[in-house]
Amino acid sequence: RCEIPFPVSKISKLILDYKRRADWDLKFHRGQVAQRLKPNMDIVHDVFKSFSSPYKYRDFCLLRVWTRLQDGTELIAMRSVTHQRVPERKTYIRALLYPTGYIIEPQTSKTAPSEENESKEKADSIEKSNTSMDSKVEDTAMLTFVAQMDRESVLLVSPDLLGESDELLASILNISKCLEADGDAKSQKV
């Protein structure tokens, strides 16, 4: 879980973009959309480097779905499936992900109620202060990655869990660096 100083939509767009995945994900080797099922649903093939062996890669065939909730939170959910467009290959070890994904929540700032609200009627004041307590900060989000893995897929992150590597955390922090670089590139073009 990590706070990223960018809007939810920019973070989710970067996570979903296979052309950019290797820019931020240190464990990612390659990937592609195998089939688009709906505007917010596809079958993807992901290949990741394995820490346990430099010559073995773990691959996944995933159903990927994304949505935006009413509060502005965006969810990117994945789970392993079998699909004819992503057959198992001898060069990879097929791993499984059970329901897994990213939760990207807009952050709120807590502001004190104004004096104007305090001078109004008590019920009106309480209602207004409650609404002012939840004003959105548009350029900050909390990114949470939740994974349920089988014994093959957990080998991708076990060095991070055991303190032997920080690639998982570095990958999440790289999301912010990529978005910063995007902003720098836009400002140079102007």
Side-chain angles (χ1 to χ4, degrees), residues 89-104:
R89 298 181 186 168
K90 291 181 182 179
T91 54
Y92 303 136
I93 297 170
R94 180 59 52 101
L96 299 175
L97 284 180
Y98 302 107
T100 294
Y102 298 91
I103 304 164
I104 312 161

Side-chain angles (χ1 to χ4, degrees), residues 3-8 11 106-107 136-141:
E3 189 170 337
I4 309 267
F6 288 92
V8 169
I11 297 167
Q107 293 301 285
K136 298 282 184 203
V137 177
E138 292 297 322
D139 60 352
T140 302

Side-chain angles (χ1 to χ4, degrees), residues 4-61:
I4 309 267
F6 288 92
V8 169
S9 60
K10 285 189 177 188
I11 297 167
S12 64
K13 184 177 178 182
L14 180 63
I15 290 171
L16 291 167
D17 185 354
Y18 271 108
K19 293 175 187 158
R20 302 282 316 275
R21 181 79 184 250
D23 293 346
W24 62 268
D25 191 338
L26 299 175
K27 296 178 181 297
F28 187 72
H29 178 62
R30 63 186 209 148
Q32 65 183 15
V33 175
Q35 183 178 4
R36 175 94 40 212
L37 302 173
K38 293 181 179 179
N40 69 325
M41 180 188 300
D42 52 26
I43 300 291
V44 296
H45 182 225
D46 288 348
V47 181
F48 290 89
K49 302 169 195 167
S50 177
F51 185 83
S52 61
S53 171
Y55 307 107
K56 293 288 184 183
Y57 294 94
R58 302 293 192 272
D59 82 323
F60 300 87
C61 176

